[in-house]
Each structure stands twice: as structure tokens, then as C-alpha cells.
Amino acid sequence: MNNASSRSNSCITLKQSKLHGKRLFGSTVCFWLMHWILSNNSNLGFGIPPSRRSTNATFILWTMSQNVSILLFTWMAFHLASTTRIISPRNTNGINSIATTTTFSAHTIPPIFAAVNRHGLIVFILANLMTGAVNLSMNTLEATNDEAILVIFCYLCSIGVVALLINWIASQKKKRE
């Protein structure tokens, strides 16, 4: 058995998941710190602003910081959804106490992630069409931060709802067959 197939059949443990989280957290802090050092104008920094056009080191570090942060938050969502604490009363030698056990399931996948993964092409095309619609309907360069956050929130909610709806329709078709 080769290494890749043995990895796909194995289940990640709680200890491994926590190690992944620690590594992601450390990477996130390091990338943000390096970005701050390059972009800060104080005596500690170089004062180089991020530039997408010239793709300078500050921009690359900013992009890496954003992406690793998203990975960290995704890991946190999976980890919190996969870890369950069970609290039950316990009687030990006539003394009442509470026993807490932690269970971990690496196969817990939130329904929205499963729906997006199952219907990736449709979701990708829809997301691109919605991006075009946003770019045609408003001047994104002059949008305020609040407007941008609202647009992104509506965009992500719409993508998620459509992915779940497509997944539901597909499951209904399978039930009828």
C-alpha cells in the first residue's frame, strides 16, 4: 500500500487536529507580523505599502496573511463542530461529581461545505456571474467599507443558499428514482 492511499484511509485524531490548529495559528501570527513590519511607517517598519499592481513583498505577505487566516478560521469551525463535550453526573465513592468527556469526529462535515463540494462547478459559475453582476451594478472602487461588507455578506449567503438548494433538489431527484 502506498503512502497516499494509507493517508486517505486513516482518520485524523484529536491530537493531530490540535497540532494542525497550532501550526495554522503560528503561521497566521508570523505572516501578519511580517506584513506589519514591511508596511508599518514607524521606526520598526519599512513603510512599504502593499501594491497589487507591482505585486511587491508587502502585497504577497498581506495575501498570504489573509489566506492563512481564512484557513485558521475554517479549521476552527471544523474543530468546534467535530469536538463534542459530554457532561454527565457521576457518583464516585458516595461523592457526586460531574464527568466531562470529549469526543472527536473527523468526519463531521457541515452541510454547506458538503453542498459546495458536491456541486463545485455550478457554484463556481454562479459565483463568477454574481461577481460580474456586482461589478456592473456598482462602482466597487468607491464603495465604503460598510457597503463592501454588506455586498460580501449577501454574496456569501446567496452562494451558500443556492448550493444548499441545489443539493436539496439533487437529493429529492435521487429519492424519486
Side-chain angles (χ1 to χ4, degrees):
M1 182 181 285
N2 66 15
N3 198 14
S5 63
S6 67
R7 234 186 252 146
S8 65
N9 292 334
S10 66
C11 184
I12 189 169
T13 64
L14 179 61
K15 187 176 181 179
Q16 290 170 327
S17 178
K18 286 183 178 181
L19 180 63
H20 291 163
K22 287 178 184 178
R23 287 180 180 165
L24 277 172
F25 180 77
S27 299
T28 303
V29 169
C30 286
F31 278 120
W32 279 113
L33 184 63
M34 289 187 294
H35 168 69
W36 182 82
I37 288 170
L38 281 180
S39 63
N40 193 7
N41 283 329
S42 71
N43 293 337
L44 298 173
F46 293 101
I48 305 169
S51 172
R52 182 178 152 199
R53 184 170 287 177
S54 66
T55 316
N56 60 4
T58 311
F59 176 77
I60 292 170
L61 285 171
W62 175 77
T63 305
M64 292 295 294
S65 302
Q66 292 285 335
N67 291 333
V68 174
S69 296
I70 290 169
L71 286 175
L72 176 64
F73 292 133
T74 303
W75 171 85
M76 287 170 56
F78 270 109
H79 187 75
L80 292 174
S82 301
T83 307
T84 316
R85 295 196 189 282
I86 302 169
I87 301 173
S88 58
R90 177 174 65 173
N91 190 347
T92 309
N93 298 333
I95 301 170
N96 290 333
S97 62
I98 296 177
T100 304
T101 57
T102 302
T103 60
F104 180 75
S105 170
H107 298 293
T108 304
I109 299 174
I112 195 161
F113 288 175
V116 170
N117 284 333
R118 213 171 277 127
H119 308 287
L121 179 61
I122 297 169
V123 172
F124 174 76
I125 291 171
L126 174 69
N128 279 326
L129 289 173
M130 287 179 64
T131 300
V134 167
N135 288 337
L136 290 173
S137 65
M138 66 183 287
N139 184 357
T140 56
L141 294 176
E142 294 182 10
T144 65
N145 287 343
D146 293 338
E147 290 172 340
I149 294 293
L150 180 66
V151 168
I152 291 172
F153 178 76
C154 293
Y155 174 87
L156 288 174
C157 288
S158 300
I159 295 290
V161 166
V162 170
L164 289 170
L165 186 62
I166 292 169
N167 196 44
W168 181 78
I169 291 170
S171 68
Q172 293 301 313
K173 282 185 180 179
K174 282 185 181 179
K175 285 181 182 178
R176 282 189 244 142
E177 292 176 355

